[in-house]
mmCIF file of all heavy atoms in Angstrom:
data_model
loop_
_atom_site.group_PDB
_atom_site.id
_atom_site.type_symbol
_atom_site.label_atom_id
_atom_site.label_comp_id
_atom_site.label_asym_id
_atom_site.label_seq_id
_atom_site.Cartn_x
_atom_site.Cartn_y
_atom_site.Cartn_z
ATOM 1 N N LEU E 212 37.230 35.524 11.379
ATOM 2 C CA LEU E 212 36.278 34.478 11.025
ATOM 3 C C LEU E 212 34.824 34.833 11.306
ATOM 4 O O LEU E 212 33.963 34.676 10.449
ATOM 5 C CB LEU E 212 36.625 33.193 11.797
ATOM 6 C CG LEU E 212 37.829 32.399 11.304
ATOM 7 C CD1 LEU E 212 38.241 31.348 12.327
ATOM 8 C CD2 LEU E 212 37.503 31.726 9.973
ATOM 9 N N ALA E 213 34.545 35.262 12.522
ATOM 10 C CA ALA E 213 33.154 35.348 12.987
ATOM 11 C C ALA E 213 32.447 36.618 12.533
ATOM 12 O O ALA E 213 33.081 37.646 12.283
ATOM 13 C CB ALA E 213 33.123 35.251 14.511
ATOM 14 N N LYS E 214 31.151 36.520 12.434
ATOM 15 C CA LYS E 214 30.297 37.687 12.182
ATOM 16 C C LYS E 214 29.571 38.096 13.465
ATOM 17 O O LYS E 214 29.155 39.246 13.609
ATOM 18 C CB LYS E 214 29.255 37.364 11.103
ATOM 19 C CG LYS E 214 29.845 36.920 9.779
ATOM 20 C CD LYS E 214 30.705 37.983 9.146
ATOM 21 C CE LYS E 214 31.250 37.523 7.796
ATOM 22 N NZ LYS E 214 32.203 38.494 7.226
ATOM 23 N N ARG E 215 29.435 37.135 14.359
ATOM 24 C CA ARG E 215 28.731 37.361 15.623
ATOM 25 C C ARG E 215 29.554 36.742 16.747
ATOM 26 O O ARG E 215 30.201 35.714 16.558
ATOM 27 C CB ARG E 215 27.350 36.698 15.554
ATOM 28 C CG ARG E 215 26.558 36.669 16.855
ATOM 29 C CD ARG E 215 25.289 35.852 16.664
ATOM 30 N NE ARG E 215 24.643 35.492 17.913
ATOM 31 C CZ ARG E 215 23.831 34.440 18.064
ATOM 32 N NH1 ARG E 215 23.573 33.650 17.037
ATOM 33 N NH2 ARG E 215 23.285 34.177 19.241
ATOM 34 N N LEU E 216 29.540 37.395 17.894
ATOM 35 C CA LEU E 216 30.334 36.932 19.030
ATOM 36 C C LEU E 216 29.452 36.719 20.255
ATOM 37 O O LEU E 216 28.577 37.537 20.553
ATOM 38 C CB LEU E 216 31.407 37.964 19.395
ATOM 39 C CG LEU E 216 32.743 37.928 18.662
ATOM 40 C CD1 LEU E 216 33.653 39.002 19.225
ATOM 41 C CD2 LEU E 216 33.392 36.569 18.780
ATOM 42 N N ILE E 217 29.715 35.630 20.952
ATOM 43 C CA ILE E 217 29.099 35.387 22.257
ATOM 44 C C ILE E 217 30.223 35.341 23.285
ATOM 45 O O ILE E 217 31.227 34.652 23.091
ATOM 46 C CB ILE E 217 28.306 34.072 22.259
ATOM 47 C CG1 ILE E 217 27.032 34.223 21.428
ATOM 48 C CG2 ILE E 217 27.952 33.643 23.681
ATOM 49 C CD1 ILE E 217 26.281 32.936 21.212
ATOM 50 N N VAL E 218 30.066 36.095 24.346
ATOM 51 C CA VAL E 218 31.051 36.113 25.424
ATOM 52 C C VAL E 218 30.468 35.355 26.615
ATOM 53 O O VAL E 218 29.390 35.694 27.112
ATOM 54 C CB VAL E 218 31.397 37.555 25.846
ATOM 55 C CG1 VAL E 218 32.460 37.542 26.946
ATOM 56 C CG2 VAL E 218 31.896 38.358 24.649
ATOM 57 N N ILE E 219 31.181 34.303 27.038
ATOM 58 C CA ILE E 219 30.776 33.536 28.210
ATOM 59 C C ILE E 219 31.625 33.981 29.396
ATOM 60 O O ILE E 219 32.854 34.032 29.315
ATOM 61 C CB ILE E 219 30.970 32.017 27.986
ATOM 62 C CG1 ILE E 219 30.204 31.554 26.740
ATOM 63 C CG2 ILE E 219 30.525 31.232 29.210
ATOM 64 C CD1 ILE E 219 28.712 31.671 26.839
ATOM 65 N N ASN E 220 30.963 34.316 30.494
ATOM 66 C CA ASN E 220 31.671 34.740 31.702
ATOM 67 C C ASN E 220 31.002 34.106 32.919
ATOM 68 O O ASN E 220 29.792 34.252 33.111
ATOM 69 C CB ASN E 220 31.654 36.272 31.822
ATOM 70 C CG ASN E 220 32.534 36.758 32.946
ATOM 71 O OD1 ASN E 220 33.693 36.364 33.050
ATOM 72 N ND2 ASN E 220 32.001 37.625 33.789
ATOM 73 N N ASP E 221 31.792 33.378 33.688
ATOM 74 C CA ASP E 221 31.276 32.705 34.890
ATOM 75 C C ASP E 221 30.022 31.879 34.599
ATOM 76 O O ASP E 221 29.036 31.918 35.338
ATOM 77 C CB ASP E 221 30.985 33.728 35.992
ATOM 78 C CG ASP E 221 32.259 34.403 36.481
ATOM 79 O OD1 ASP E 221 33.338 33.780 36.383
ATOM 80 O OD2 ASP E 221 32.177 35.552 36.957
ATOM 81 N N GLY E 222 30.067 31.149 33.482
ATOM 82 C CA GLY E 222 28.985 30.217 33.165
ATOM 83 C C GLY E 222 27.720 30.841 32.621
ATOM 84 O O GLY E 222 26.703 30.161 32.504
ATOM 85 N N GLN E 223 27.769 32.121 32.246
ATOM 86 C CA GLN E 223 26.591 32.798 31.713
ATOM 87 C C GLN E 223 26.946 33.582 30.457
ATOM 88 O O GLN E 223 28.118 33.908 30.220
ATOM 89 C CB GLN E 223 26.001 33.743 32.764
ATOM 90 C CG GLN E 223 25.490 33.040 34.013
ATOM 91 C CD GLN E 223 24.950 34.018 35.043
ATOM 92 O OE1 GLN E 223 25.702 34.770 35.645
ATOM 93 N NE2 GLN E 223 23.648 33.994 35.241
ATOM 94 N N VAL E 224 25.929 33.897 29.653
ATOM 95 C CA VAL E 224 26.147 34.723 28.468
ATOM 96 C C VAL E 224 26.243 36.173 28.917
ATOM 97 O O VAL E 224 25.253 36.769 29.339
ATOM 98 C CB VAL E 224 25.011 34.546 27.443
ATOM 99 C CG1 VAL E 224 25.215 35.504 26.267
ATOM 100 C CG2 VAL E 224 24.944 33.108 26.960
ATOM 101 N N ALA E 225 27.463 36.724 28.811
ATOM 102 C CA ALA E 225 27.687 38.106 29.250
ATOM 103 C C ALA E 225 27.419 39.093 28.121
ATOM 104 O O ALA E 225 26.964 40.213 28.361
ATOM 105 C CB ALA E 225 29.110 38.267 29.768
ATOM 106 N N MET E 226 27.710 38.694 26.886
ATOM 107 C CA MET E 226 27.517 39.569 25.731
ATOM 108 C C MET E 226 27.171 38.709 24.521
ATOM 109 O O MET E 226 27.632 37.575 24.401
ATOM 110 C CB MET E 226 28.789 40.389 25.440
ATOM 111 C CG MET E 226 29.234 41.265 26.594
ATOM 112 S SD MET E 226 30.896 41.981 26.353
ATOM 113 C CE MET E 226 30.573 43.147 25.059
ATOM 114 N N ASP E 227 26.361 39.255 23.624
ATOM 115 C CA ASP E 227 25.977 38.563 22.402
ATOM 116 C C ASP E 227 25.687 39.631 21.355
ATOM 117 O O ASP E 227 24.724 40.386 21.481
ATOM 118 C CB ASP E 227 24.739 37.690 22.648
ATOM 119 C CG ASP E 227 24.297 36.913 21.409
ATOM 120 O OD1 ASP E 227 24.851 37.149 20.319
ATOM 121 O OD2 ASP E 227 23.392 36.063 21.537
ATOM 122 N N GLY E 228 26.555 39.722 20.340
ATOM 123 C CA GLY E 228 26.352 40.767 19.342
ATOM 124 C C GLY E 228 27.324 40.649 18.191
ATOM 125 O O GLY E 228 28.087 39.684 18.081
ATOM 126 N N THR E 229 27.307 41.643 17.320
ATOM 127 C CA THR E 229 28.243 41.679 16.195
ATOM 128 C C THR E 229 29.645 41.968 16.718
ATOM 129 O O THR E 229 29.836 42.349 17.884
ATOM 130 C CB THR E 229 27.850 42.776 15.203
ATOM 131 O OG1 THR E 229 27.962 44.053 15.849
ATOM 132 C CG2 THR E 229 26.422 42.589 14.696
ATOM 133 N N LEU E 230 30.637 41.804 15.845
ATOM 134 C CA LEU E 230 32.013 42.119 16.228
ATOM 135 C C LEU E 230 32.122 43.558 16.709
ATOM 136 O O LEU E 230 32.768 43.845 17.725
ATOM 137 C CB LEU E 230 32.958 41.895 15.036
ATOM 138 C CG LEU E 230 33.149 40.456 14.566
ATOM 139 C CD1 LEU E 230 34.024 40.434 13.331
ATOM 140 C CD2 LEU E 230 33.753 39.595 15.651
ATOM 141 N N SER E 231 31.481 44.465 15.996
ATOM 142 C CA SER E 231 31.543 45.881 16.367
ATOM 143 C C SER E 231 30.932 46.111 17.744
ATOM 144 O O SER E 231 31.491 46.830 18.577
ATOM 145 C CB SER E 231 30.802 46.739 15.329
ATOM 146 O OG SER E 231 31.466 46.693 14.085
ATOM 147 N N GLU E 232 29.788 45.487 17.991
ATOM 148 C CA GLU E 232 29.100 45.686 19.267
ATOM 149 C C GLU E 232 29.915 45.152 20.436
ATOM 150 O O GLU E 232 29.953 45.769 21.508
ATOM 151 C CB GLU E 232 27.728 45.001 19.225
ATOM 152 C CG GLU E 232 26.726 45.696 18.311
ATOM 153 C CD GLU E 232 25.482 44.865 18.052
ATOM 154 O OE1 GLU E 232 25.498 43.637 18.293
ATOM 155 O OE2 GLU E 232 24.480 45.441 17.575
ATOM 156 N N VAL E 233 30.593 44.026 20.232
ATOM 157 C CA VAL E 233 31.355 43.426 21.325
ATOM 158 C C VAL E 233 32.695 44.123 21.519
ATOM 159 O O VAL E 233 33.050 44.517 22.633
ATOM 160 C CB VAL E 233 31.555 41.912 21.082
ATOM 161 C CG1 VAL E 233 32.503 41.328 22.124
ATOM 162 C CG2 VAL E 233 30.212 41.189 21.127
#
Side-chain angles (χ1 to χ4, degrees):
L212 285 167
K214 302 298 182 186
R215 172 186 166 204
L216 274 182
I217 288 172
V218 182
I219 304 295
N220 188 50
D221 295 333
Q223 297 178 291
V224 176
M226 301 169 70
D227 181 352
T229 64
L230 293 176
S231 294
E232 289 168 343
V233 173

